[in-house]
Amino acid sequence: MPEIIPNWHPAVVHFPIALAVTATLLLLLGRLRPANPTFTASGRLLVLGAAVSAGFAAALGWYAFQTVEHDGAGHLVMLSHRNWALAGTAGLIALAAWDGLRQRAERPSHAALLPIMLVLSAGLGVTGWLGGEMVYRHGIGVSASAFAGPEVAEPPAITPETVAETPAPAPGEHIHKDGKRHRH
């Protein structure tokens, strides 16, 4: 498995995003339904979970940042992703610590908790989008050799002559640049 997944950052980044968004939704429900304190209590607990998982994801992300191969264009996206991730992680940790102190003092959640979580959740969304850009647009962190099959000879060059000799695709079939045909 390690040869397919060169680092564990992509496997854990979904936890802080999911926990932060869920915490935000629960805090919003708690604001809309103040008679049911379970929503707010659950949201406050998930803020702590989001902060802990964000710290873990950031540590693994720092390792990935130092080790994955990338080009110049991908590096710019990596820097932006890193900056958004560190800001979001710091914000979540600070907010969880502040709210945790309020909980220890048996004080209710502060009115600013929900707006701050809305901003942090949006920031985590931007961070995730930039992470997707790194992988899907720039191929950063993707180990193509782990998915490669046995060595195959170069496909024959496609020339106007070979195109003229190639029969038209059957219904539902298409031909790729390398001359291979298949159906979906």
Side-chain angles (χ1 to χ4, degrees), residues 44 47-52 91-101 103 113:
R44 291 174 86 178
V47 168
L48 175 62
V52 169
L92 276 172
I93 290 171
L95 185 64
W98 175 63
D99 190 54
L101 291 173
Q103 287 183 54
L113 183 63

Side-chain angles (χ1 to χ4, degrees), residues 78-95:
M78 280 178 68
L79 290 174
S80 186
H81 175 74
R82 179 202 64 192
N83 295 342
W84 277 92
L86 291 177
T89 300
L92 276 172
I93 290 171
L95 185 64

Side-chain angles (χ1 to χ4, degrees), residues 89-169:
T89 300
L92 276 172
I93 290 171
L95 185 64
W98 175 63
D99 190 54
L101 291 173
R102 290 183 63 82
Q103 287 183 54
R104 282 185 70 116
E106 297 182 10
R107 297 180 68 191
S109 67
H110 195 277
L113 183 63
L114 176 59
I116 293 170
M117 279 304 295
L118 285 167
V119 169
L120 288 172
S121 292
L124 289 176
V126 171
T127 305
W129 180 76
L130 290 168
E133 284 286 302
M134 285 190 314
V135 172
Y136 295 108
R137 185 177 304 267
H138 298 282
I140 296 173
V142 177
S143 178
S145 63
F147 298 101
E151 294 264 337
V152 218
E154 274 296 309
I158 298 175
T159 63
E161 294 79 26
T162 59
V163 171
E165 296 169 359
T166 305

Side-chain angles (χ1 to χ4, degrees), residues 11-75:
V12 300
V13 295
H14 302 90
F15 291 100
I17 295 169
L19 291 171
V21 169
T22 305
T24 303
L25 292 174
L26 286 168
L27 291 170
L28 179 61
L29 282 171
R31 182 81 54 95
L32 296 174
R33 304 228 182 242
N36 187 347
T38 307
F39 291 128
T40 301
S42 300
R44 291 174 86 178
L45 179 63
L46 290 185
V47 168
L48 175 62
V52 169
S53 63
F56 190 57
L60 291 171
W62 190 260
Y63 171 75
F65 183 81
Q66 303 298 325
T67 59
V68 296
E69 293 182 24
H70 57 280
D71 59 9
H75 187 73

